[in-house]
Amino acid sequence: SIWNLSQTNRPFIMSADLANLVARLEKVATRLESAGGAPAASSAAAGGDDSGESPSLAGYDEIVNGSVKAFVAAGQAIGGDIAPMITKVEAAFQAQRAFIEISTKSKKPDQATMGNLLQPTSSLLQEIVAIREAGRRSDQFNHMSAISEGIPALGWVGVEPKPAPFVKDMKDAAQFYVNRVLKDFKESDPKQCAFVKAWVQVLDDLIAYIKRVHTTGLVWNKSGGDASSFKSAAAPAAAAPAKATPKPAAVTKPAGADAKGGLFAALNKGGAVTSGLKRVDKSQMTHKNPELRASSVVKDVKPKAAAPARKFGADAKAKDPVFGLTGKKWTVEYQRNNGEPLVIDNTEVKQTVYIYKCENCTIQVKGKVNSITVDGCKKVAVVFDSLVSAFEIVNCQRIQVQVTGICNTVNIDKTDGVQVYLSKDSVAAQVVTAKSSEMNISVPSGADGEFVEMPIPEQYKTVYADGKLVTQPTDIAG
């Protein structure tokens, strides 16, 4: 222990004051250790032993060989851009299975060892998210998003004491994109719907498994061995420099008035005692830089200047505008300050329109298409005839929309400033809003068809009445 003052080069006689000091230091050490994370409650039965397969591993194998296998088969059936992501998802579950197998044979390790053991799973999750970000123009972007939003659920192994609600939160995030796929392909392609339903089933099975076996956190084998023995040969070398960490100078100094005064002053700082610690740059971390392990010297790195905050709509560098049809998807991207309206004609019912990162321009869609999505735009006006599905506005500012034909649904999400003009045939359209403000709907009225503007409420009040919650707009919501 770093608090063992008897390990000195000369005989030591502990005074009453110094004994009291040691007691206080022991209390501080206990607090720091408890702050680092208390072990989760576990049972030896769930941990299992080497004599046979544990319930923990057997239960996870049921998921891998059941719903995960069915999900992979459903993904292979639809193919397309989603195929590489399916392979990564299957590999991520296999990596987590290997981690759970370690937990059934070893005691709970420290945080550093835990991070090394989780590295294979973590790397795969990052690759899955990267595939989604690179596939924004893909017709299967909603499929990719459903997986990308749900796959972080595999991080439950590091959540205590309630990992099941954590997985449910990830499932709810994925459900938003699952519903989009179900809406777009409900009647046209049942295989697409079966694929996203299989993904939801994987997450449901994972929640049920955690509730049954790992209620308060991942179960480790209390009578097992050292988890570090399961690491690769390079992993122990990464932890070697930690042994060279010097002990606190105050502890190794001879007892004296100055030494005691300094220690008491540090103790009286409370939580601020760690304020003087220096942040370690990634280039100085030995586990991320193998070349540093051969030397005990770590080069000093000057802190980098903070990058300026990015404004809405500002890109790292200007990108070329895009306007064209790819397969069944019209893509309009990075259009700025266009004097003349951009016109999309010769459309078909199965085609979709995706408008992304446009600013200060007008877009007209002639004919009837399946759906239109406006994403990350500012000061954009969209005029269209008719839609089979829905018109969606996401992460935008100051958008104007006018329908001249039929539109049944308008979805507005995370947007500030929306003006929607409905035609006489679309006055019964459903308008679904979330996390948005300054929204107005204009509908034709009278024989002359003059538009009447009405605001969408932004503020609500909820009361408990007759055994249920009742929510209504407030009087000042409009």
Side-chain angles (χ1 to χ4, degrees), residues 2 9 58 60 97-98 120 139 191 277 287 323 335 354 356 363 414 425 459:
I2 65 172
N9 296 328
Y60 199 82
R97 185 200 180 279
D139 292 337
K191 289 184 179 180
L277 296 178
H287 68 285
F323 183 84
Q335 301 285 342
Y354 182 66
Y356 180 68
I363 300 165
K414 300 176 184 177
D425 296 329
Q459 190 176 53

Side-chain angles (χ1 to χ4, degrees), residues 393-396 412-416 434-436:
I393 308 171
V394 184
N395 294 322
C396 294
I412 305 173
D413 186 22
K414 300 176 184 177
T415 297
D416 297 324
K435 299 180 181 180
S436 300

